[in-house]
């Protein structure tokens, strides 16, 4: 942590009565602070548990993290053309350090730090029906109140820690990829065990293998991973995106978060050989193109999906020299129905002498000893354990925050069996509370920085409406929530997504309700938000403002 920066966290406002409290200072929270404070003139205070801005980009410092979506320059804020012009992205797939540097620049440029309380966790948040306000309590025992509570608590934040017998007794170093230390972790001369082969595992394993004595990968589900083909951005590309920015932004809004015109060709119009040539071309192009740009319906049509799946399996077989290792690496779920992973040399890593793979489906972990992982078929001595085991995604951070709404009802209780929300931004029984990237929003299925901007603008419109009409509270109805649940489930059910055990379905966390956690059609979703506002805030009830002291 940069000490100078930490000392610079001056609390200019000592007032504890705010118009809005924001929880989280990642992409979503920083923009919400800027918008509500600078565009709307509200008195806003943000709270952040970490020692600096960045959210997920602050915590995910494992070896090799990069944006796992089409990144530079699209994985960035769009609201300020000046910001677009003054920040120069370096590579097509931005590294964590560069995203974090960008967010630190944004915090300084828009003078956001003075209104953020760092190193401060919110341990309680309660709605008071009499005052129509939220009161939060921090881990330092401070309280503050606000009419509105904006939760930008992160879709991928609460670490999923496996509970294998003996794991607390493991005597070596142990790190979760999503809670990585700020100091460099040295793997030199060490035997490293990595559990998990999602984005975090697949990005970090090649980096760790370059340094470690030996790496043993413990894999539960083999994954599809596409070559990221990361490269430096050219000065011409940078000049072009700056010049075309307004159009690109509009395209991103209209095309599900990315500015690419996805291909509308139909698989049935092409022969098998022609389709294969298309897959080859898109594989060479790299990034997510194989998924979004091949043929219509890859995530809907089982036969077409199987063809793409088999194409990727063929690529893995070509890369991995040992046939037995290649066999273990064959994914068998529907391509694209877990988060697609962009890699840089992952499969090649298995050709190294110092890397071995344990297939946990054939050879499950039975227990940990102080020095080793014991599986059914043997013992694997390790010095360092890397848990790349992911997150209690999308709903986990809100459930951990566990706000208490009307009548003191706890969110954890309300969400025991199902993560009901209206529009992914509001919850019945929790007046004046808004979420950014909550369950039922497009979240990770859209460019998250732009999604956060659009969601915040809608929240701001709602607050403006409330204030202009002299109203004190806004709350989603239970009927609207139930209808929203049906709507987003119906969209997901038309695809292959629900058939796979993924974190999209909550299936990675033992005991978590199984439910598709996102809205798959981001552009339609944001049209819908506009429509709800234009139709008199359909699905919400408002209360007149009561007199209260602030
Ligand atoms: O987590 P994951 P992640 N025993 O849930 C396995 C984003 N992200 O941190 O597939 C053994 O995808 C689990 O197995 P299975 C990105 O959106 C972004 O990698 O559930 N194994 C899986 O292999 C991504 O999708 C960036 O059977 C266990 C792995 O651990 C999301 O975060 C970087 C296990 C977890 O994979 C999450 O990615 C990284 C157990 N008990 C991530 N429990 C950037 O953009 C879980 N696993 C920089």
């Amino acid at each position: 942590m940069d000490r100078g920066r930490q000392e610079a966290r001056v609390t200019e406002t000592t007032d504890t009565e705010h118009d809005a409290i924001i929880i989280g200072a990642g992409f979503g929270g920083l923009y919400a602070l800027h918008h509500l404070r600078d565009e709307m003139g509200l008195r806003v205070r943000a709270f952040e548990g970490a020692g600096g801005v960045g959210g997920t980009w602050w915590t995910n410092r494992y070896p090799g993290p990069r944006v796992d979506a089409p990144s530079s320059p699209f994985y960035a804020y769009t609201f300020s053309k000046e910001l677009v012009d003054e920040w120069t992205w370096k590579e097509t797939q931005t590294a964590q350090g560069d995203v974090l540097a960008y967010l630190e620049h944004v915090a300084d440029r828009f003078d956001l730090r003075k209104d953020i309380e760092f190193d401060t966790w919110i341990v309680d948040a309660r709605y008071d029906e009499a005052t129509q306000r939220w009161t939060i309590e921090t881990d330092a025992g401070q309280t503050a109140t606000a009419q509105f509570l904006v939760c930008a608590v992160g879709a991928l934040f609460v670490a999923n820690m496996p509970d294998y017998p003996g794991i607390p007794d493991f005597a070596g170093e142990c790190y979760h990829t999503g809670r990585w230390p700020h100091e460099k972790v040295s793997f030199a001369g060490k035997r490293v065990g990595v559990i998990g082969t999602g984005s975090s595992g697949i990005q970090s394993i090649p980096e760790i293998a370059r340094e470690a004595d030996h790496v043993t990968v413990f894999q539960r589900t083999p994954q599809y991973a596409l070559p990221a083909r990361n490269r430096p951005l050219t000065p011409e590309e940078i000049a072009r995106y700056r010049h075309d920015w307004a159009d690109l932004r509009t395209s991103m809004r209209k095309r599900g978060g990315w500015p690419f015109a996805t291909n509308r060709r139909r698989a049935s119009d092409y022969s098998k050989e022609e389709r294969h040539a298309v897959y080859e071309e898109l594989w060479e192009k790299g990034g997510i193109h194989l998924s979004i740009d091949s043929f219509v319906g890859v995530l809907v049509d089982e036969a077409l999906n199987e063809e793409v799946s088999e194409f990727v399996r063929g690529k893995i077989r070509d890369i991995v020299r040992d046939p037995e290792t290649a066999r273990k690496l064959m994914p068998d779920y529907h391509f694209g129905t877990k988060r697609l992973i962009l890699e840089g040399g992952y499969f090649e890593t298995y050709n190294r002498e110092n890397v071995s793979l344990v297939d946990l489906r054939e050879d499950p972990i039975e227990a940990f000893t102080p020095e080793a992982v014991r599986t059914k078929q043997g013992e694997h001595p390790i010095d360092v354990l890397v848990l790349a085991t992911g997150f209690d995604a999308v709903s986990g951070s809100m459930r951990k925050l566990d706000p208490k709404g009307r009548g003191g009802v706890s969110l954890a209780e309300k969400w025991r069996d199902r993560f009901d929300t209206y529009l992914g931004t509001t919850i019945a029984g929790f007046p004046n509370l808004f979420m950014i990237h909550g369950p039922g929003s497009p979240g990770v299925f859209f460019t998250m920085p732009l999604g956060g901007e659009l969601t915040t603008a809608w929240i701001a419109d709602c607050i403006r409406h409330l204030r202009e009409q002299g109203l004190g509270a806004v709350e989603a109805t239970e009927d609207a929530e139930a209808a929203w649940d049906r709507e987003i489930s119906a969209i997901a059910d038309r695809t292959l997504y629900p058939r796979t055990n993924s974190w999209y379905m909550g299936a990675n966390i033992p005991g978590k309700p199984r439910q598709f956690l996102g809205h798959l059609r981001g552009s339609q979703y944001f049209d819908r938000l506009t429509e709800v506002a234009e139709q008199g805030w359909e699905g919400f009830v408002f209360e007149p403002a009561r007199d209260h002291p602030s």
Side-chain angles (χ1 to χ4, degrees):
M1 164 66 201
D2 178 338
R3 194 146 284 289
R5 246 184 230 312
Q6 194 167 14
E7 278 159 14
R9 69 177 177 99
V10 199
T11 312
E12 282 196 356
T13 341
T14 50
D15 188 6
T16 56
E17 302 258 311
H18 312 287
D19 294 320
I21 284 174
I22 295 167
I23 308 181
F27 259 106
L30 287 179
Y31 181 70
L33 172 56
H34 166 65
H35 191 102
L36 298 183
R37 186 192 70 181
D38 302 334
E39 305 290 322
M40 283 191 75
L42 300 184
R43 292 170 305 158
V44 187
R45 192 85 185 141
F47 293 85
E48 167 58 59
V53 299
T56 193
W57 299 103
W58 172 271
T59 49
N60 283 268
R61 294 164 186 254
Y62 58 84
R66 290 181 179 274
V67 177
D68 64 346
S71 83
S72 320
F74 313 114
Y75 188 84
Y77 291 120
T78 70
F79 67 93
S80 160
K81 177 68 167 86
E82 292 76 26
L83 182 60
V84 169
D85 287 342
E86 73 198 16
W87 186 264
T88 303
W89 293 105
K90 295 181 198 150
E91 299 170 291
T92 52
Q93 201 201 1
T94 307
Q96 171 267 341
D98 289 336
V99 184
L100 187 60
Y102 170 75
L103 289 171
E104 289 179 338
H105 168 73
V106 169
D108 291 333
R109 191 192 190 287
F110 295 96
D111 200 13
L112 300 176
R113 290 181 203 274
K114 68 179 184 192
D115 288 311
I116 306 173
E117 202 84 49
F118 291 108
D119 293 310
T120 306
W121 292 99
I122 306 301
V123 293
D124 193 38
R126 274 170 201 278
Y127 183 69
D128 179 350
E129 289 164 53
T131 60
Q132 299 168 309
R133 293 175 72 79
W134 283 89
T135 300
I136 56 104
E137 189 185 330
T138 72
D139 55 352
Q142 296 164 326
T143 58
T145 77
Q147 186 176 10
F148 304 103
L149 187 65
V150 179
C151 303
V153 288
L156 296 157
F157 179 71
V158 177
N160 174 33
M161 305 300 264
D163 62 351
Y164 290 112
I167 206 168
D169 304 328
F170 174 65
E173 299 162 65
C174 177
Y175 307 102
H176 189 282
T177 47
R179 294 284 173 280
W180 203 261
H182 287 204
E183 310 74 48
K184 180 176 163 32
V185 173
S186 171
F187 297 104
K190 294 179 187 164
R191 296 160 304 177
V192 183
V194 181
I195 301 183
T197 51
S199 301
S200 306
I202 284 181
Q203 288 180 345
S204 58
I205 288 163
E207 302 288 327
I208 298 172
R210 270 192 271 280
E211 201 189 331
D213 197 34
H214 189 86
V215 178
T216 309
V217 178
F218 298 91
Q219 169 197 272
R220 190 164 70 181
T221 306
Q223 293 275 17
Y224 299 98
L226 305 178
R229 308 223 187 275
N230 182 40
R231 60 170 176 79
L233 283 164
T234 65
E236 294 71 34
E237 283 172 314
I238 293 168
R240 198 166 57 237
Y241 83 68
R242 285 185 178 144
H243 179 266
D244 296 343
W245 191 251
D247 290 343
L248 285 174
R249 188 177 193 234
T250 308
S251 299
M252 286 162 73
R253 164 70 181 79
K254 289 192 176 148
R255 291 181 177 144
W258 313 111
F260 316 116
T262 49
N263 216 307
R264 306 307 300 158
R265 57 191 153 199
R266 295 163 61 86
S268 54
D269 295 340
Y270 293 77
S271 68
K272 195 169 178 197
E273 291 68 32
E274 286 167 336
R275 290 199 297 275
H276 205 270
V278 169
Y279 304 144
E280 281 290 354
E281 185 196 323
L282 298 175
W283 177 269
E284 284 312 312
K285 199 168 174 185
I288 63 166
H289 289 282
L290 183 64
S291 163
I292 62 166
D293 222 3
S294 55
F295 298 98
V296 176
V298 169
L299 290 165
V300 176
D301 177 331
E302 204 171 341
L304 179 60
N305 186 285
E306 177 51 26
E307 190 173 91
V308 180
S309 302
E310 189 47 31
F311 171 81
V312 180
R313 289 184 207 119
K315 288 291 178 192
I316 300 170
R317 278 187 211 103
D318 290 347
I319 297 169
V320 178
R321 285 200 288 268
D322 173 40
E324 178 57 9
T325 306
R327 182 188 66 77
K328 292 179 189 168
L329 287 167
M330 287 303 122
D332 54 7
Y333 63 92
H334 297 299
F335 169 82
T337 53
K338 276 176 181 278
R339 176 77 170 184
L340 265 180
I341 298 170
L342 303 184
E343 56 80 39
Y346 172 68
F347 294 112
E348 287 83 352
T349 299
Y350 290 98
N351 294 333
R352 296 177 66 107
E353 292 287 307
N354 68 334
V355 177
S356 48
L357 177 65
V358 176
D359 178 348
L360 296 180
R361 298 199 288 201
E362 295 172 354
D363 184 15
I365 294 175
E366 290 188 333
F368 277 70
T369 70
E371 300 87 24
V373 184
R374 203 177 67 229
T375 62
K376 195 172 165 200
Q377 293 171 19
E379 194 151 295
H380 305 269
I382 54 167
D383 306 302
V384 185
L385 174 62
V386 174
L387 298 172
T389 43
F391 305 93
D392 182 355
V394 187
S395 55
S397 312
M398 280 303 291
R399 211 147 80 154
K400 184 161 187 273
L401 177 70
D402 195 17
K404 314 292 181 302
R406 194 182 283 289
V409 169
S410 113
L411 184 64
E413 180 58 25
K414 166 157 175 144
W415 278 2
R416 204 186 48 204
D417 301 323
R418 209 156 172 87
F419 305 104
D420 287 328
T421 71
Y422 179 43
L423 306 172
T425 57
T426 56
I427 309 164
F430 294 76
N432 291 356
L433 179 149
F434 298 98
M435 293 176 292
I436 296 174
H437 304 314
S441 75
V444 296
F445 295 100
F446 197 80
T447 318
M448 290 185 92
L450 175 59
E453 287 177 28
L454 296 167
T455 306
T456 300
W458 179 87
I459 293 169
D461 282 346
C462 186
I463 293 175
R464 199 174 289 112
H465 170 76
L466 206 97
R467 298 231 152 165
E468 283 169 4
Q469 303 298 316
L471 301 165
V474 55
E475 183 181 347
T477 66
E478 285 186 356
D479 285 350
E481 247 180 17
W484 186 247
D485 187 15
R486 286 194 295 276
E487 192 171 327
I488 56 171
S489 300
I491 297 171
D493 288 347
R494 285 197 283 275
T495 71
L496 299 170
Y497 282 105
R499 299 201 202 171
T500 298
N501 287 331
S502 64
W503 60 257
Y504 294 155
M505 294 298 297
N508 62 328
I509 303 294
K512 185 167 173 173
R514 192 179 173 95
Q515 172 185 349
F516 193 75
L517 289 165
H519 188 297
L520 281 171
R521 297 190 181 153
S523 296
Q524 279 180 25
Y525 167 88
F526 288 108
D527 290 343
R528 183 68 195 285
L529 286 191
T530 310
E531 211 177 275
V532 165
E534 284 173 358
Q535 290 175 3
W537 299 96
E538 189 188 16
F540 289 102
V541 287
F542 291 87
E543 276 177 9
R546 301 202 187 100
D547 285 339
H548 57 82
S550 86

PDB file of all heavy atoms in Angstrom, residues 234-245:
ATOM      1  N   THR A 234      -1.451  -0.350 -31.131  1.00  0.00           N
ATOM      2  CA  THR A 234      -0.630   0.515 -31.991  1.00  0.00           C
ATOM      3  C   THR A 234      -1.073   1.965 -31.826  1.00  0.00           C
ATOM      4  O   THR A 234      -2.235   2.229 -31.464  1.00  0.00           O
ATOM      5  CB  THR A 234      -0.783   0.125 -33.472  1.00  0.00           C
ATOM      6  OG1 THR A 234      -2.154   0.388 -33.842  1.00  0.00           O
ATOM      7  CG2 THR A 234      -0.451  -1.334 -33.702  1.00  0.00           C
ATOM      8  N   PRO A 235      -0.182   2.934 -32.115  1.00  0.00           N
ATOM      9  CA  PRO A 235      -0.580   4.350 -32.039  1.00  0.00           C
ATOM     10  C   PRO A 235      -1.783   4.643 -32.954  1.00  0.00           C
ATOM     11  O   PRO A 235      -2.651   5.440 -32.613  1.00  0.00           O
ATOM     12  CB  PRO A 235       0.664   5.099 -32.525  1.00  0.00           C
ATOM     13  CG  PRO A 235       1.795   4.152 -32.302  1.00  0.00           C
ATOM     14  CD  PRO A 235       1.240   2.771 -32.438  1.00  0.00           C
ATOM     15  N   GLU A 236      -1.851   3.921 -34.094  1.00  0.00           N
ATOM     16  CA  GLU A 236      -2.984   4.144 -35.017  1.00  0.00           C
ATOM     17  C   GLU A 236      -4.292   3.681 -34.359  1.00  0.00           C
ATOM     18  O   GLU A 236      -5.321   4.350 -34.474  1.00  0.00           O
ATOM     19  CB  GLU A 236      -2.791   3.354 -36.329  1.00  0.00           C
ATOM     20  CG  GLU A 236      -1.626   3.797 -37.193  1.00  0.00           C
ATOM     21  CD  GLU A 236      -0.259   3.436 -36.604  1.00  0.00           C
ATOM     22  OE1 GLU A 236      -0.140   2.373 -35.948  1.00  0.00           O
ATOM     23  OE2 GLU A 236       0.682   4.249 -36.761  1.00  0.00           O
ATOM     24  N   GLU A 237      -4.255   2.550 -33.682  1.00  0.00           N
ATOM     25  CA  GLU A 237      -5.477   2.059 -33.009  1.00  0.00           C
ATOM     26  C   GLU A 237      -5.922   3.041 -31.928  1.00  0.00           C
ATOM     27  O   GLU A 237      -7.114   3.331 -31.785  1.00  0.00           O
ATOM     28  CB  GLU A 237      -5.226   0.682 -32.374  1.00  0.00           C
ATOM     29  CG  GLU A 237      -5.215  -0.450 -33.370  1.00  0.00           C
ATOM     30  CD  GLU A 237      -4.758  -1.764 -32.732  1.00  0.00           C
ATOM     31  OE1 GLU A 237      -3.744  -1.778 -31.999  1.00  0.00           O
ATOM     32  OE2 GLU A 237      -5.410  -2.774 -32.992  1.00  0.00           O
ATOM     33  N   ILE A 238      -4.928   3.547 -31.201  1.00  0.00           N
ATOM     34  CA  ILE A 238      -5.272   4.476 -30.116  1.00  0.00           C
ATOM     35  C   ILE A 238      -5.888   5.745 -30.699  1.00  0.00           C
ATOM     36  O   ILE A 238      -6.922   6.232 -30.223  1.00  0.00           O
ATOM     37  CB  ILE A 238      -4.018   4.778 -29.262  1.00  0.00           C
ATOM     38  CG1 ILE A 238      -3.599   3.499 -28.530  1.00  0.00           C
ATOM     39  CG2 ILE A 238      -4.274   5.916 -28.282  1.00  0.00           C
ATOM     40  CD1 ILE A 238      -2.239   3.552 -27.883  1.00  0.00           C
ATOM     41  N   ALA A 239      -5.274   6.252 -31.774  1.00  0.00           N
ATOM     42  CA  ALA A 239      -5.808   7.470 -32.406  1.00  0.00           C
ATOM     43  C   ALA A 239      -7.218   7.206 -32.939  1.00  0.00           C
ATOM     44  O   ALA A 239      -8.127   8.043 -32.802  1.00  0.00           O
ATOM     45  CB  ALA A 239      -4.890   7.916 -33.534  1.00  0.00           C
ATOM     46  N   ARG A 240      -7.411   6.011 -33.520  1.00  0.00           N
ATOM     47  CA  ARG A 240      -8.722   5.707 -34.113  1.00  0.00           C
ATOM     48  C   ARG A 240      -9.806   5.604 -33.045  1.00  0.00           C
ATOM     49  O   ARG A 240     -10.895   6.116 -33.194  1.00  0.00           O
ATOM     50  CB  ARG A 240      -8.623   4.411 -34.931  1.00  0.00           C
ATOM     51  CG  ARG A 240      -9.777   4.254 -35.909  1.00  0.00           C
ATOM     52  CD  ARG A 240      -9.535   3.191 -36.947  1.00  0.00           C
ATOM     53  NE  ARG A 240      -9.262   1.893 -36.346  1.00  0.00           N
ATOM     54  CZ  ARG A 240      -8.171   1.184 -36.559  1.00  0.00           C
ATOM     55  NH1 ARG A 240      -7.220   1.638 -37.348  1.00  0.00           N
ATOM     56  NH2 ARG A 240      -8.006   0.006 -35.988  1.00  0.00           N
ATOM     57  N   TYR A 241      -9.501   4.930 -31.919  1.00  0.00           N
ATOM     58  CA  TYR A 241     -10.579   4.793 -30.926  1.00  0.00           C
ATOM     59  C   TYR A 241     -10.900   6.132 -30.292  1.00  0.00           C
ATOM     60  O   TYR A 241     -12.046   6.396 -29.932  1.00  0.00           O
ATOM     61  CB  TYR A 241     -10.324   3.653 -29.941  1.00  0.00           C
ATOM     62  CG  TYR A 241      -9.436   3.900 -28.738  1.00  0.00           C
ATOM     63  CD1 TYR A 241      -9.815   4.752 -27.705  1.00  0.00           C
ATOM     64  CD2 TYR A 241      -8.234   3.216 -28.601  1.00  0.00           C
ATOM     65  CE1 TYR A 241      -9.003   4.941 -26.583  1.00  0.00           C
ATOM     66  CE2 TYR A 241      -7.420   3.394 -27.488  1.00  0.00           C
ATOM     67  CZ  TYR A 241      -7.812   4.265 -26.485  1.00  0.00           C
ATOM     68  OH  TYR A 241      -7.018   4.439 -25.380  1.00  0.00           O
ATOM     69  N   ARG A 242      -9.878   6.995 -30.173  1.00  0.00           N
ATOM     70  CA  ARG A 242     -10.194   8.322 -29.619  1.00  0.00           C
ATOM     71  C   ARG A 242     -11.074   9.109 -30.589  1.00  0.00           C
ATOM     72  O   ARG A 242     -12.048   9.734 -30.197  1.00  0.00           O
ATOM     73  CB  ARG A 242      -8.903   9.093 -29.352  1.00  0.00           C
ATOM     74  CG  ARG A 242      -8.206   8.572 -28.104  1.00  0.00           C
ATOM     75  CD  ARG A 242      -6.999   9.384 -27.762  1.00  0.00           C
ATOM     76  NE  ARG A 242      -6.404   8.866 -26.535  1.00  0.00           N
ATOM     77  CZ  ARG A 242      -5.106   8.817 -26.292  1.00  0.00           C
ATOM     78  NH1 ARG A 242      -4.241   9.277 -27.172  1.00  0.00           N
ATOM     79  NH2 ARG A 242      -4.656   8.340 -25.149  1.00  0.00           N
ATOM     80  N   HIS A 243     -10.714   9.013 -31.863  1.00  0.00           N
ATOM     81  CA  HIS A 243     -11.474   9.752 -32.881  1.00  0.00           C
ATOM     82  C   HIS A 243     -12.914   9.252 -32.968  1.00  0.00           C
ATOM     83  O   HIS A 243     -13.865  10.025 -33.064  1.00  0.00           O
ATOM     84  CB  HIS A 243     -10.758   9.608 -34.232  1.00  0.00           C
ATOM     85  CG  HIS A 243     -11.464  10.306 -35.349  1.00  0.00           C
ATOM     86  ND1 HIS A 243     -12.366   9.664 -36.173  1.00  0.00           N
ATOM     87  CD2 HIS A 243     -11.440  11.600 -35.746  1.00  0.00           C
ATOM     88  CE1 HIS A 243     -12.855  10.524 -37.034  1.00  0.00           C
ATOM     89  NE2 HIS A 243     -12.308  11.715 -36.810  1.00  0.00           N
ATOM     90  N   ASP A 244     -13.073   7.921 -32.888  1.00  0.00           N
ATOM     91  CA  ASP A 244     -14.410   7.327 -33.092  1.00  0.00           C
ATOM     92  C   ASP A 244     -15.162   7.131 -31.785  1.00  0.00           C
ATOM     93  O   ASP A 244     -16.133   6.382 -31.733  1.00  0.00           O
ATOM     94  CB  ASP A 244     -14.272   5.938 -33.751  1.00  0.00           C
ATOM     95  CG  ASP A 244     -13.674   6.022 -35.130  1.00  0.00           C
ATOM     96  OD1 ASP A 244     -13.665   7.135 -35.701  1.00  0.00           O
ATOM     97  OD2 ASP A 244     -13.210   4.986 -35.639  1.00  0.00           O
ATOM     98  N   TRP A 245     -14.691   7.747 -30.712  1.00  0.00           N
ATOM     99  CA  TRP A 245     -15.193   7.369 -29.398  1.00  0.00           C
ATOM    100  C   TRP A 245     -16.715   7.436 -29.254  1.00  0.00           C
ATOM    101  O   TRP A 245     -17.353   6.508 -28.746  1.00  0.00           O
ATOM    102  CB  TRP A 245     -14.509   8.172 -28.289  1.00  0.00           C
ATOM    103  CG  TRP A 245     -14.871   7.557 -26.979  1.00  0.00           C
ATOM    104  CD1 TRP A 245     -15.684   8.073 -26.035  1.00  0.00           C
ATOM    105  CD2 TRP A 245     -14.510   6.246 -26.535  1.00  0.00           C
ATOM    106  NE1 TRP A 245     -15.848   7.174 -25.007  1.00  0.00           N
ATOM    107  CE2 TRP A 245     -15.132   6.033 -25.290  1.00  0.00           C
ATOM    108  CE3 TRP A 245     -13.734   5.217 -27.069  1.00  0.00           C
ATOM    109  CZ2 TRP A 245     -14.992   4.855 -24.579  1.00  0.00           C
ATOM    110  CZ3 TRP A 245     -13.599   4.040 -26.354  1.00  0.00           C
ATOM    111  CH2 TRP A 245     -14.221   3.876 -25.127  1.00  0.00           C
TER     112      TRP A 245
END
